[in-house]
Amino acid sequence: MTTLQSVVRRRRALAAAGAVSAGLLVLSACDKPTPLATVTVGTASVHSEATCGGEGETLKTTDLAQCLKDKDIESIKVDPDDTVRFGVDPDIADEGWTILMNGQPLTDSSTKTYRTVPGSVFFNAQYGASGDSTLVTIKEGEQNVTGLWSFKLEKDS
């Protein structure tokens, strides 16, 4: 019986080692998610992986224009009296990031992970807003754009 038990133990050990190896192989094939950007208004927040890029490679100018037209983006209600808070992963901050409003720079580039903007800015014609919603995009990169994270801010009054 002792020989039979040792054979069974060896088979179990080999099966366990095979399962662990297969699991590691599967995990190594997974793509690393892109860094997240978050928009918070009061107690509500939305976050998103990159709409385009976010993997460290420079985006082409033609791709940038197409990304800014993307309609499948997160949205959040904003009362013009609220403060809108933008947060980015350190990976984004390290490259420098800018807040764009309807495709135009709203802020200077920053390497901080957090910025605030008054909610009224996003619905003020003086800043290029029109209507009750605004496309806000976080652009990663100062010289070369490496990622875009877009959000739709909807007026809540």
Side-chain angles (χ1 to χ4, degrees):
M1 262 313 234
T2 316
T3 310
L4 182 59
Q5 286 176 341
S6 63
V7 170
V8 169
R9 283 186 188 149
R10 272 190 237 140
R11 285 184 182 168
R12 285 183 185 159
L14 286 172
V20 169
S21 297
L24 290 174
L25 183 61
V26 168
L27 286 176
S28 67
C30 294
D31 288 334
K32 179 181 172 189
T34 62
L36 295 177
T38 304
V39 177
T40 304
V41 181
T43 59
S45 65
V46 293
H47 63 274
S48 177
E49 287 190 24
T51 308
C52 288
E55 297 168 356
E57 297 177 20
T58 302
L59 295 171
K60 298 176 186 167
T61 306
T62 54
D63 293 339
L64 293 175
Q66 190 62 34
C67 289
L68 290 172
K69 293 178 183 176
D70 192 356
K71 301 294 182 204
D72 186 28
I73 58 175
E74 296 289 335
S75 65
I76 189 167
K77 297 269 188 194
V78 177
D79 185 306
D81 293 333
D82 285 339
T83 297
V84 180
R85 293 168 177 80
F86 295 87
V88 298
D89 280 355
D91 290 343
I92 299 170
D94 289 345
E95 298 300 318
W97 60 288
T98 306
I99 298 171
L100 306 178
M101 185 169 125
N102 296 322
Q104 300 301 312
L106 179 66
T107 64
D108 291 332
S109 182
S110 174
T111 55
K112 297 178 181 181
T113 58
Y114 181 81
R115 310 241 3 218
T116 62
V117 179
S120 59
V121 167
F122 300 104
F123 308 104
N124 189 327
Q126 179 180 351
Y127 295 102
S130 62
D132 289 340
S133 69
T134 300
L135 175 67
V136 176
T137 303
I138 293 172
K139 176 188 82 157
E140 178 186 30
E142 292 182 34
Q143 303 298 332
N144 298 316
V145 179
T146 55
L148 296 174
W149 290 257
S150 294
F151 300 90
K152 183 178 180 182
L153 304 185
E154 298 174 336
K155 190 173 185 178
D156 182 26
S157 49

